Structure formats: C-alpha cells, structure tokens
Amino acid sequence: MTTPDDTLAAIDDVITWHGDSDDAMVWTADRPKRPDLSGLAAIVDAARPSPEAARALTERLATQMQAFNEAVRPVAEQMVHTARAVSEALALIINSPEGRALIEAAERGEIEPDPPSCHCLCQASHKGQQGICEHDAIAEIVRVSPTVGRVEIPVCGPCRGAQMAVAR
Ligand SMILES: [Zn+2]
Ligand SMILES: [Zn+2]
C-alpha cells in the first residue's frame, strides 16, 4: 500500500531527477510560459559568419594588429629610452656630492617640504576670475561631497577669496 509519505518521496524524486526539464515544470502551480526563441535562433543563424567571412575578418584584424604594433613600437622604445635617461639622471644626482648633501640634509629634516600647491579647480570653482591662482596653498577650504564626504582642499589666497565670493 502507498502511504502519503511514499507519494511525497516519489514526487521529490521526480523533482530531483528532472529539476531542469519541462516535466518538472508540471509540478509547479504556475507553469511559466517559455519564451518563443525560434525568431532569435534565426537571427543568430543569419549573423553567424561563413567560414570565408571569418577568415577574412581574422586576416583584416591581423593586418591591423601589425600596423598598430609598428606604429606603437617607436613610441614604446622612446618611452623606455626616456625612462632610462630619467633614472640615469637621477642616479647622477644621487651620486653627486651636491645630491648627497641635499639628501642628507633632507634626512636630517633641514629642508622644509614644499608648501602644498593650490588644488583649486579654477575653471569650475570661480569661472568669473581666471588666472589669479598663486599656486602655493595658504589655506584649506572644506567641502562636503556626497560621494567622498568631507574633503579639505588646499588653496592659495586669491583662489580662496574667489571661491568665497562665489559661495556667497
Ligand atoms: Zn582657483
Ligand atoms: Zn589657486
């Protein structure tokens, strides 16, 4: 004789075995409608390139890649060259007596760090007054941005004045 538990177990088995098949859908109260994909299949089929088209595309890409490489190589070589020149210049400075003295003075704290530079976005902050920036920051303006929160922006005197005037 079949107990209700056996029936449930049988149903469970079907669901487990055919969980992803159409048959399993029968067990759900609301059988979802399957979208009609035949139209889409036709589009995908039409878009699928022929072997010739694929080969032509590959060849065109290869040609373009080669042209790109040839255009980029001198620039890349120049960059390596520049980087080497910069590091050689740095090495020269570091190894020169003047450079050593400078580094040692900095290590002893005898050299004041440069004042922070003005971070005012003049174009945006005071459109009406351009070319007033003195670059060395003397103050900080506090802004509250919705994305980053409270930020302190170092500003020079004229920029600070101009920003205050705009804010007023
Ligand atoms: Zn400014
Ligand atoms: Zn400024």
Side-chain angles (χ1 to χ4, degrees):
M1 167 192 162
T2 313
T3 67
D5 277 354
D6 286 343
T7 310
L8 276 178
I11 292 170
D12 275 353
D13 280 354
V14 171
I15 291 172
T16 311
W17 291 343
H18 306 292
D20 294 317
S21 77
D22 272 353
D23 295 351
M25 297 285 198
V26 177
W27 297 106
T28 66
D30 255 325
R31 185 172 182 167
K33 257 193 161 158
R34 282 172 66 95
D36 179 14
L37 295 177
S38 55
L40 187 67
I43 293 169
V44 170
D45 228 41
R48 193 174 295 147
S50 64
E52 293 85 57
R55 199 178 316 118
L57 184 69
T58 312
E59 276 167 17
R60 216 164 65 214
L61 276 176
T63 314
Q64 278 176 4
M65 281 304 290
Q66 198 175 347
F68 178 75
N69 279 341
E70 277 162 16
V72 160
R73 195 183 303 129
V75 179
E77 279 170 3
Q78 185 58 47
M79 278 170 69
V80 171
H81 207 75
T82 308
R84 196 178 298 141
V86 167
S87 66
E88 278 167 8
L90 265 179
L92 270 180
I93 293 168
I94 290 168
N95 292 319
S96 70
E98 295 84 4
R100 287 237 147 268
L102 204 67
I103 291 164
E104 279 159 21
E107 279 170 358
R108 286 192 302 268
E110 287 169 15
I111 296 176
E112 290 281 315
D114 282 346
S117 53
C118 177
H119 284 197
C120 171
L121 298 170
C122 300
Q123 300 282 346
S125 307
H126 45 88
K127 277 206 198 76
Q129 280 179 284
Q130 295 295 304
I132 55 165
C133 185
E134 286 180 353
H135 306 293
D136 286 347
I138 53 122
E140 278 181 341
I141 282 191
V142 174
R143 300 259 168 186
V144 180
S145 139
T147 44
V148 286
R150 190 175 184 276
V151 278
E152 282 161 14
I153 303 159
V155 285
C156 68
C159 281
R160 181 169 178 270
Q163 284 203 30
M164 299 290 229
V166 170
R168 225 173 276 136

